[in-house]
Amino acid sequence: MADLRVPTLRWAEPPEGPVLLLLDQTRLPSEEVELTVTDVPGLVAAIQSLAVRGAPVLGVAGAYGVALAAARGFDVREAARSLAEARPTAVNLGYGVARAVAAYEAAGGAGEAAAAAALAEARALHREEVEDSERMAALGRGLLGELLPGGRYRLLTHCNTGALVSVGGGTAFAVARAAHRAGELRRLWVDETRPLLQGARLTAWEAAREGMPYTVQVDGAAGSLFAAGEVDAVVVGADRIAADGAVANKIGTYGLAVLARHHGVPFVVVAPVSTVDLGTPEGAAIRIEQRPGHEVTELAPGVPVAPVGAQAYNPAFDVTPPELVTALVTERGVVAPVDHGGLAEVCSRSRSYEAPSGNGMMGP
Ligand SMILES: CSC[C@H]1O[C@H](OP(=O)(O)O)[C@H](O)[C@@H]1O
């Protein structure tokens, strides 16, 4: 569990009415500013600007967004629609919204009781996220111990997958943090992750707070690190995992998977089962969020790096095929390889599932 001074996200009930408080991730690492969100348009804007970001915490934010709409008397169904559409790739957002709406409807679909039910479901999801982070960290560390006996390994990670994408410790970064705390992390290579620099700004900030041995590099330097034998494993998160095991994650992840395969390095994805979308049959069916071109052509508003009018290609995510994934670490066990039907099985396990000794590798 990571102890952020300002929590990633929290619900509060001041006299003037319920609010959602968010650590504004666009201001990190230089400022820790807490945003106060009082309505759904405000939350949608925070999600779309990546003030709050990362699949698991988007699910929790979406659920609290429904609770906020219900508590403040807004149209809950309209709120659910606008929240679920705020970012199309991260499946957890729609999942969290759907859970809160289902609780709201089951409690009558109107009035205080229904609003209380939506809030209770958001709080339940919040607690689950904290628990899931801890389980994934332990199972992921166990897997790395099996894959890389002897410990003291060098991990490469992409984007940010720590406490900032969770209300707990996070996903892939939580595994690296657990390894560090156990004295098993020799180096964490941190891809800066253009264009929004989640790695250089956020992962580096989390690693520094934790006292981890980390190094930031431009995304394009990853290949030379593999070639130099400096990477023992890649650990990344996910935004949506299709039924065939294809993984949508931050743009640049697919290239790392190809490099890892070429260099015989394990490529490990860490994500809760809530990020698995068995309703999406394959990676090609995952809708990839296309973001504004100015994020590529400008370093900051009004600070161009490309000629004015330059065209830009700016997908927020790419898709890694299942055959390039060494293992998927979930809070209910490890699936390896992901394309042998183990995905549906691990999703069917109860939350209380205890992996067998070791890390519960599914195996072929
Ligand atoms: C485990 S969720 C973190 C996941 O979310 C990031 O995307 P974004 O920063 O656009 O929300 C990235 O894909 C991370 O792997």
Side-chain angles (χ1 to χ4, degrees):
M1 179 71 179
D3 52 347
L4 297 179
R5 280 190 292 272
V6 177
T8 304
L9 171 153
R10 64 191 173 102
W11 175 272
E13 294 182 350
E16 59 272 19
V19 297
L20 200 48
L21 297 166
L22 307 171
L23 174 56
D24 185 345
Q25 299 189 31
T26 64
R27 308 283 288 270
L28 290 173
S30 52
E31 299 172 273
E32 293 184 42
V33 173
E34 196 167 45
L35 284 179
T36 300
V37 172
T38 59
D39 59 28
V40 172
L43 180 54
V44 168
I47 290 170
Q48 291 179 331
S49 67
L50 277 70
V52 58
R53 46 150 296 280
V57 78
L58 289 179
V60 180
Y64 276 124
V66 171
L68 185 67
R72 285 185 170 260
F74 303 141
D75 181 328
V76 167
R77 290 157 193 83
E78 171 56 26
R81 186 197 56 74
S82 60
L83 285 164
E85 291 178 357
R87 291 190 74 193
T89 306
V91 66
N92 290 68
L93 178 55
Y95 167 75
V97 167
R99 277 196 43 179
V101 168
Y104 176 80
E105 301 286 4
E112 288 186 14
L119 179 56
E121 189 66 16
R123 285 182 163 141
L125 187 57
H126 190 135
R127 287 192 300 275
E128 289 170 22
E129 186 48 50
V130 172
E131 295 161 6
D132 292 353
S133 292
E134 291 171 13
R135 290 168 68 91
M136 285 186 282
L139 286 169
R141 180 184 157 233
L143 172 67
L144 291 177
E146 279 200 22
L147 294 172
L148 307 168
R152 300 297 296 156
Y153 37 73
R154 297 154 299 182
L155 302 177
L156 186 143
T157 195
H158 194 68
C159 199
N160 170 252
T161 56
L164 293 171
V165 302
S166 170
V167 284
T171 62
F173 183 86
V175 173
R177 181 194 296 115
H180 168 65
R181 289 178 176 177
E184 295 160 357
L185 182 69
R186 180 173 158 195
R187 174 65 47 189
L188 181 67
W189 299 110
V190 177
D191 271 357
E192 65 172 353
T193 315
R194 281 269 301 157
L196 297 179
L197 304 175
Q198 289 92 327
R201 291 188 302 111
L202 307 178
T203 297
W205 181 72
E206 291 200 61
R209 288 167 49 83
E210 187 67 32
M212 295 163 77
Y214 76 97
T215 301
V216 180
Q217 72 270 344
V218 296
D219 302 326
S224 61
L225 285 173
F226 281 96
E230 289 290 340
V231 181
D232 298 310
V234 177
V235 286
V236 294
D239 290 81
R240 190 182 295 251
I241 301 171
D244 68 347
V247 176
N249 196 52
K250 183 53 52 197
I251 189 72
T253 302
Y254 173 44
L256 292 175
V258 173
L259 281 166
R261 178 53 52 89
H262 178 73
H263 290 279
V265 168
F267 181 84
V268 176
V269 176
V270 185
V273 295
S274 53
T275 301
V276 176
D277 174 15
L278 296 177
T280 295
E282 58 184 2
I286 297 175
R287 184 177 157 204
I288 299 298
E289 177 187 358
Q290 300 297 322
R291 292 193 61 85
H294 68 76
E295 292 178 352
V296 176
T297 58
E298 296 179 357
L299 281 184
V303 183
V305 289
V308 174
Q311 294 297 308
Y313 171 59
N314 189 20
F317 305 102
D318 58 23
V319 177
T320 298
E323 60 269 21
L324 295 182
V325 178
T326 306
L328 166 65
V329 177
T330 77
E331 74 282 13
R332 303 185 193 179
V334 176
V335 184
V338 292
D339 55 352
H340 283 209
L343 207 49
E345 194 281 328
V346 77
C347 291
S348 69
R349 293 175 181 174
S350 73
R351 282 190 54 78
S352 58
Y353 175 85
E354 287 298 330
S357 59
N359 59 76
M361 291 272 285
M362 287 292 297

